[in-house]
PDB file of all heavy atoms in Angstrom:
ATOM      1  N   VAL A  21      -5.947 -14.599 -31.281  1.00 92.00           N
ATOM      2  CA  VAL A  21      -5.995 -14.956 -29.905  1.00 92.00           C
ATOM      3  C   VAL A  21      -7.141 -14.185 -29.145  1.00 92.00           C
ATOM      4  O   VAL A  21      -7.899 -14.895 -28.393  1.00 92.00           O
ATOM      5  CB  VAL A  21      -4.610 -14.676 -29.128  1.00 92.00           C
ATOM      6  CG1 VAL A  21      -4.710 -14.813 -27.759  1.00 92.00           C
ATOM      7  CG2 VAL A  21      -3.552 -15.550 -29.762  1.00 92.00           C
ATOM      8  N   MET A  22      -7.217 -12.923 -29.369  1.00 91.00           N
ATOM      9  CA  MET A  22      -8.330 -12.171 -28.708  1.00 91.00           C
ATOM     10  C   MET A  22      -9.761 -12.673 -29.158  1.00 91.00           C
ATOM     11  O   MET A  22     -10.565 -12.855 -28.347  1.00 91.00           O
ATOM     12  CB  MET A  22      -8.282 -10.698 -29.135  1.00 91.00           C
ATOM     13  CG  MET A  22      -7.171  -9.986 -28.261  1.00 91.00           C
ATOM     14  SD  MET A  22      -7.018  -8.262 -28.730  1.00 91.00           S
ATOM     15  CE  MET A  22      -8.686  -7.711 -28.373  1.00 91.00           C
ATOM     16  N   ALA A  23      -9.837 -13.032 -30.430  1.00 88.00           N
ATOM     17  CA  ALA A  23     -11.176 -13.449 -31.029  1.00 88.00           C
ATOM     18  C   ALA A  23     -11.528 -14.824 -30.331  1.00 88.00           C
ATOM     19  O   ALA A  23     -12.761 -15.048 -30.111  1.00 88.00           O
ATOM     20  CB  ALA A  23     -11.137 -13.586 -32.520  1.00 88.00           C
ATOM     21  N   ASP A  24     -10.520 -15.654 -30.119  1.00 83.00           N
ATOM     22  CA  ASP A  24     -10.819 -16.959 -29.476  1.00 83.00           C
ATOM     23  C   ASP A  24     -11.086 -16.838 -28.005  1.00 83.00           C
ATOM     24  O   ASP A  24     -11.711 -17.780 -27.390  1.00 83.00           O
ATOM     25  CB  ASP A  24      -9.672 -17.858 -29.747  1.00 83.00           C
ATOM     26  CG  ASP A  24      -9.610 -18.403 -31.174  1.00 83.00           C
ATOM     27  OD1 ASP A  24     -10.503 -18.144 -31.948  1.00 83.00           O
ATOM     28  OD2 ASP A  24      -8.540 -18.913 -31.501  1.00 83.00           O
ATOM     29  N   GLY A  25     -10.635 -15.727 -27.384  1.00 78.00           N
ATOM     30  CA  GLY A  25     -10.947 -15.450 -25.930  1.00 78.00           C
ATOM     31  C   GLY A  25     -10.155 -16.502 -25.119  1.00 78.00           C
ATOM     32  O   GLY A  25     -10.663 -16.682 -24.045  1.00 78.00           O
ATOM     33  N   LEU A  26      -8.998 -16.944 -25.520  1.00 71.00           N
ATOM     34  CA  LEU A  26      -8.320 -18.010 -24.655  1.00 71.00           C
ATOM     35  C   LEU A  26      -7.177 -17.296 -23.985  1.00 71.00           C
ATOM     36  O   LEU A  26      -6.548 -16.278 -24.467  1.00 71.00           O
ATOM     37  CB  LEU A  26      -7.793 -19.017 -25.686  1.00 71.00           C
ATOM     38  CG  LEU A  26      -8.792 -19.759 -26.413  1.00 71.00           C
ATOM     39  CD1 LEU A  26      -8.073 -20.757 -27.378  1.00 71.00           C
ATOM     40  CD2 LEU A  26      -9.711 -20.488 -25.506  1.00 71.00           C
ATOM     41  N   ALA A  27      -6.741 -17.820 -22.900  1.00 79.00           N
ATOM     42  CA  ALA A  27      -5.627 -17.189 -22.087  1.00 79.00           C
ATOM     43  C   ALA A  27      -4.341 -17.568 -22.716  1.00 79.00           C
ATOM     44  O   ALA A  27      -3.352 -16.778 -22.722  1.00 79.00           O
ATOM     45  CB  ALA A  27      -5.661 -17.897 -20.661  1.00 79.00           C
ATOM     46  N   GLU A  28      -4.286 -18.688 -23.491  1.00 83.00           N
ATOM     47  CA  GLU A  28      -2.979 -19.103 -24.215  1.00 83.00           C
ATOM     48  C   GLU A  28      -2.796 -18.030 -25.223  1.00 83.00           C
ATOM     49  O   GLU A  28      -3.707 -17.606 -26.071  1.00 83.00           O
ATOM     50  CB  GLU A  28      -3.196 -20.416 -24.876  1.00 83.00           C
ATOM     51  CG  GLU A  28      -1.922 -20.772 -25.649  1.00 83.00           C
ATOM     52  CD  GLU A  28      -2.031 -21.958 -26.487  1.00 83.00           C
ATOM     53  OE1 GLU A  28      -3.092 -22.496 -26.611  1.00 83.00           O
ATOM     54  OE2 GLU A  28      -0.939 -22.371 -27.027  1.00 83.00           O
ATOM     55  N   GLY A  29      -1.678 -17.327 -25.246  1.00 86.00           N
ATOM     56  CA  GLY A  29      -1.323 -16.370 -26.228  1.00 86.00           C
ATOM     57  C   GLY A  29      -1.612 -14.883 -25.680  1.00 86.00           C
ATOM     58  O   GLY A  29      -1.363 -13.901 -26.425  1.00 86.00           O
ATOM     59  N   ALA A  30      -2.160 -14.808 -24.494  1.00 90.00           N
ATOM     60  CA  ALA A  30      -2.426 -13.461 -23.904  1.00 90.00           C
ATOM     61  C   ALA A  30      -1.117 -12.617 -23.904  1.00 90.00           C
ATOM     62  O   ALA A  30      -1.164 -11.417 -24.075  1.00 90.00           O
ATOM     63  CB  ALA A  30      -3.043 -13.565 -22.535  1.00 90.00           C
ATOM     64  N   TRP A  31       0.002 -13.310 -23.619  1.00 93.00           N
ATOM     65  CA  TRP A  31       1.292 -12.666 -23.604  1.00 93.00           C
ATOM     66  C   TRP A  31       1.595 -11.907 -24.972  1.00 93.00           C
ATOM     67  O   TRP A  31       2.035 -10.810 -24.998  1.00 93.00           O
ATOM     68  CB  TRP A  31       2.429 -13.570 -23.377  1.00 93.00           C
ATOM     69  CG  TRP A  31       2.555 -14.680 -24.452  1.00 93.00           C
ATOM     70  CD1 TRP A  31       1.947 -15.891 -24.508  1.00 93.00           C
ATOM     71  CD2 TRP A  31       3.317 -14.570 -25.636  1.00 93.00           C
ATOM     72  NE1 TRP A  31       2.215 -16.571 -25.622  1.00 93.00           N
ATOM     73  CE2 TRP A  31       3.085 -15.801 -26.326  1.00 93.00           C
ATOM     74  CE3 TRP A  31       4.142 -13.592 -26.236  1.00 93.00           C
ATOM     75  CZ2 TRP A  31       3.673 -16.111 -27.512  1.00 93.00           C
ATOM     76  CZ3 TRP A  31       4.809 -13.854 -27.430  1.00 93.00           C
ATOM     77  CH2 TRP A  31       4.539 -15.098 -28.145  1.00 93.00           C
ATOM     78  N   LEU A  32       1.069 -12.584 -26.058  1.00 95.00           N
ATOM     79  CA  LEU A  32       1.359 -11.974 -27.398  1.00 95.00           C
ATOM     80  C   LEU A  32       0.469 -10.738 -27.567  1.00 95.00           C
ATOM     81  O   LEU A  32       1.009  -9.719 -28.072  1.00 95.00           O
ATOM     82  CB  LEU A  32       1.007 -13.051 -28.465  1.00 95.00           C
ATOM     83  CG  LEU A  32       1.239 -12.446 -29.962  1.00 95.00           C
ATOM     84  CD1 LEU A  32       2.666 -12.140 -30.130  1.00 95.00           C
ATOM     85  CD2 LEU A  32       0.696 -13.560 -30.879  1.00 95.00           C
ATOM     86  N   VAL A  33      -0.741 -10.769 -27.103  1.00 94.00           N
ATOM     87  CA  VAL A  33      -1.634  -9.599 -27.197  1.00 94.00           C
ATOM     88  C   VAL A  33      -0.990  -8.438 -26.510  1.00 94.00           C
ATOM     89  O   VAL A  33      -0.896  -7.292 -27.118  1.00 94.00           O
ATOM     90  CB  VAL A  33      -3.039  -9.821 -26.662  1.00 94.00           C
ATOM     91  CG1 VAL A  33      -3.928  -8.612 -26.674  1.00 94.00           C
ATOM     92  CG2 VAL A  33      -3.691 -10.927 -27.489  1.00 94.00           C
ATOM     93  N   ASP A  34      -0.554  -8.633 -25.226  1.00 95.00           N
ATOM     94  CA  ASP A  34       0.059  -7.580 -24.555  1.00 95.00           C
ATOM     95  C   ASP A  34       1.286  -7.012 -25.044  1.00 95.00           C
ATOM     96  O   ASP A  34       1.541  -5.852 -25.118  1.00 95.00           O
ATOM     97  CB  ASP A  34       0.283  -8.056 -23.075  1.00 95.00           C
ATOM     98  CG  ASP A  34      -0.945  -8.369 -22.211  1.00 95.00           C
ATOM     99  OD1 ASP A  34      -2.055  -7.771 -22.679  1.00 95.00           O
ATOM    100  OD2 ASP A  34      -0.866  -9.128 -21.268  1.00 95.00           O
ATOM    101  N   GLU A  35       2.181  -7.915 -25.553  1.00 96.00           N
ATOM    102  CA  GLU A  35       3.492  -7.530 -26.128  1.00 96.00           C
ATOM    103  C   GLU A  35       3.275  -6.776 -27.423  1.00 96.00           C
ATOM    104  O   GLU A  35       3.962  -5.768 -27.676  1.00 96.00           O
ATOM    105  CB  GLU A  35       4.374  -8.731 -26.251  1.00 96.00           C
ATOM    106  CG  GLU A  35       5.769  -8.287 -26.525  1.00 96.00           C
ATOM    107  CD  GLU A  35       6.808  -9.387 -26.265  1.00 96.00           C
ATOM    108  OE1 GLU A  35       6.462 -10.432 -25.601  1.00 96.00           O
ATOM    109  OE2 GLU A  35       7.918  -9.266 -26.801  1.00 96.00           O
ATOM    110  N   CYS A  36       2.490  -7.217 -28.203  1.00 96.00           N
ATOM    111  CA  CYS A  36       2.282  -6.626 -29.546  1.00 96.00           C
ATOM    112  C   CYS A  36       1.574  -5.226 -29.394  1.00 96.00           C
ATOM    113  O   CYS A  36       2.096  -4.295 -30.059  1.00 96.00           O
ATOM    114  CB  CYS A  36       1.308  -7.442 -30.472  1.00 96.00           C
ATOM    115  SG  CYS A  36       2.008  -8.856 -31.172  1.00 96.00           S
ATOM    116  N   ARG A  37       0.689  -5.127 -28.429  1.00 96.00           N
ATOM    117  CA  ARG A  37       0.020  -3.792 -28.291  1.00 96.00           C
ATOM    118  C   ARG A  37       1.043  -2.828 -27.769  1.00 96.00           C
ATOM    119  O   ARG A  37       1.177  -1.780 -28.283  1.00 96.00           O
ATOM    120  CB  ARG A  37      -1.121  -3.946 -27.173  1.00 96.00           C
ATOM    121  CG  ARG A  37      -1.915  -2.680 -26.981  1.00 96.00           C
ATOM    122  CD  ARG A  37      -3.073  -2.985 -26.059  1.00 96.00           C
ATOM    123  NE  ARG A  37      -2.628  -3.831 -24.871  1.00 96.00           N
ATOM    124  CZ  ARG A  37      -3.334  -4.917 -24.526  1.00 96.00           C
ATOM    125  NH1 ARG A  37      -4.338  -5.385 -25.270  1.00 96.00           N
ATOM    126  NH2 ARG A  37      -3.002  -5.576 -23.476  1.00 96.00           N
ATOM    127  N   ALA A  38       1.823  -3.223 -26.847  1.00 97.00           N
ATOM    128  CA  ALA A  38       2.925  -2.251 -26.272  1.00 97.00           C
ATOM    129  C   ALA A  38       3.925  -1.957 -27.419  1.00 97.00           C
ATOM    130  O   ALA A  38       4.288  -0.782 -27.545  1.00 97.00           O
ATOM    131  CB  ALA A  38       3.607  -2.929 -25.121  1.00 97.00           C
ATOM    132  N   ARG A  39       4.367  -2.839 -28.195  1.00 97.00           N
ATOM    133  CA  ARG A  39       5.328  -2.584 -29.152  1.00 97.00           C
ATOM    134  C   ARG A  39       4.873  -1.725 -30.316  1.00 97.00           C
ATOM    135  O   ARG A  39       5.524  -0.930 -30.814  1.00 97.00           O
ATOM    136  CB  ARG A  39       5.953  -3.912 -29.617  1.00 97.00           C
ATOM    137  CG  ARG A  39       6.924  -4.502 -28.808  1.00 97.00           C
ATOM    138  CD  ARG A  39       7.409  -5.905 -29.222  1.00 97.00           C
ATOM    139  NE  ARG A  39       8.130  -6.625 -28.214  1.00 97.00           N
ATOM    140  CZ  ARG A  39       9.402  -6.821 -28.266  1.00 97.00           C
ATOM    141  NH1 ARG A  39      10.121  -6.323 -29.230  1.00 97.00           N
ATOM    142  NH2 ARG A  39      10.038  -7.490 -27.252  1.00 97.00           N
ATOM    143  N   LEU A  40       3.630  -2.007 -30.697  1.00 97.00           N
ATOM    144  CA  LEU A  40       3.017  -1.247 -31.781  1.00 97.00           C
ATOM    145  C   LEU A  40       2.867   0.270 -31.329  1.00 97.00           C
ATOM    146  O   LEU A  40       3.158   1.196 -32.096  1.00 97.00           O
ATOM    147  CB  LEU A  40       1.644  -1.850 -32.177  1.00 97.00           C
ATOM    148  CG  LEU A  40       1.624  -3.108 -32.879  1.00 97.00           C
ATOM    149  CD1 LEU A  40       0.277  -3.858 -32.789  1.00 97.00           C
ATOM    150  CD2 LEU A  40       2.029  -2.911 -34.300  1.00 97.00           C
ATOM    151  N   VAL A  41       2.425   0.474 -30.107  1.00 96.00           N
ATOM    152  CA  VAL A  41       2.261   1.858 -29.619  1.00 96.00           C
ATOM    153  C   VAL A  41       3.594   2.498 -29.489  1.00 96.00           C
ATOM    154  O   VAL A  41       3.764   3.712 -29.981  1.00 96.00           O
ATOM    155  CB  VAL A  41       1.586   1.796 -28.238  1.00 96.00           C
ATOM    156  CG1 VAL A  41       1.689   3.140 -27.548  1.00 96.00           C
ATOM    157  CG2 VAL A  41       0.067   1.420 -28.310  1.00 96.00           C
ATOM    158  N   GLU A  42       4.601   1.860 -29.115  1.00 97.00           N
ATOM    159  CA  GLU A  42       5.992   2.400 -29.007  1.00 97.00           C
ATOM    160  C   GLU A  42       6.598   2.587 -30.361  1.00 97.00           C
ATOM    161  O   GLU A  42       7.141   3.749 -30.582  1.00 97.00           O
ATOM    162  CB  GLU A  42       6.823   1.436 -28.260  1.00 97.00           C
ATOM    163  CG  GLU A  42       8.282   1.942 -28.052  1.00 97.00           C
ATOM    164  CD  GLU A  42       9.141   0.895 -27.313  1.00 97.00           C
ATOM    165  OE1 GLU A  42       8.662   0.458 -26.290  1.00 97.00           O
ATOM    166  OE2 GLU A  42      10.250   0.576 -27.799  1.00 97.00           O
ATOM    167  N   ARG A  43       6.383   1.789 -31.278  1.00 97.00           N
ATOM    168  CA  ARG A  43       6.977   1.873 -32.658  1.00 97.00           C
ATOM    169  C   ARG A  43       6.339   3.026 -33.498  1.00 97.00           C
ATOM    170  O   ARG A  43       6.972   3.855 -34.091  1.00 97.00           O
ATOM    171  CB  ARG A  43       6.898   0.553 -33.394  1.00 97.00           C
ATOM    172  CG  ARG A  43       7.670   0.598 -34.699  1.00 97.00           C
ATOM    173  CD  ARG A  43       7.862  -0.808 -35.225  1.00 97.00           C
ATOM    174  NE  ARG A  43       6.564  -1.201 -35.974  1.00 97.00           N
ATOM    175  CZ  ARG A  43       6.386  -2.225 -36.709  1.00 97.00           C
ATOM    176  NH1 ARG A  43       7.427  -3.050 -36.954  1.00 97.00           N
ATOM    177  NH2 ARG A  43       5.260  -2.543 -37.252  1.00 97.00           N
ATOM    178  N   GLY A  44       4.977   3.023 -33.575  1.00 95.00           N
ATOM    179  CA  GLY A  44       4.299   4.094 -34.278  1.00 95.00           C
ATOM    180  C   GLY A  44       4.458   4.216 -35.802  1.00 95.00           C
ATOM    181  O   GLY A  44       4.338   5.274 -36.228  1.00 95.00           O
ATOM    182  N   GLN A  45       4.728   3.227 -36.421  1.00 96.00           N
ATOM    183  CA  GLN A  45       4.746   3.189 -37.824  1.00 96.00           C
ATOM    184  C   GLN A  45       3.422   3.098 -38.510  1.00 96.00           C
ATOM    185  O   GLN A  45       2.485   2.766 -37.786  1.00 96.00           O
ATOM    186  CB  GLN A  45       5.709   2.159 -38.417  1.00 96.00           C
ATOM    187  CG  GLN A  45       7.153   2.228 -38.088  1.00 96.00           C
ATOM    188  CD  GLN A  45       8.035   1.133 -38.639  1.00 96.00           C
ATOM    189  OE1 GLN A  45       7.604   0.164 -39.214  1.00 96.00           O
ATOM    190  NE2 GLN A  45       9.360   1.124 -38.368  1.00 96.00           N
TER     191      GLN A  45
END
């Protein structure tokens, strides 16, 4: 989604980033 630079899917980028930081595996 980020590579394509499209607004569609921006929710996924934000949610994944936050969950990955929180989970920390």
Side-chain angles (χ1 to χ4, degrees):
V21 167
M22 283 180 59
D24 289 346
L26 301 175
E28 180 190 8
W31 62 271
L32 180 64
V33 175
D34 294 338
E35 192 164 341
C36 283
R37 184 175 44 236
R39 287 176 187 252
L40 288 161
V41 169
E42 181 180 311
R43 186 172 77 170
Q45 291 182 359

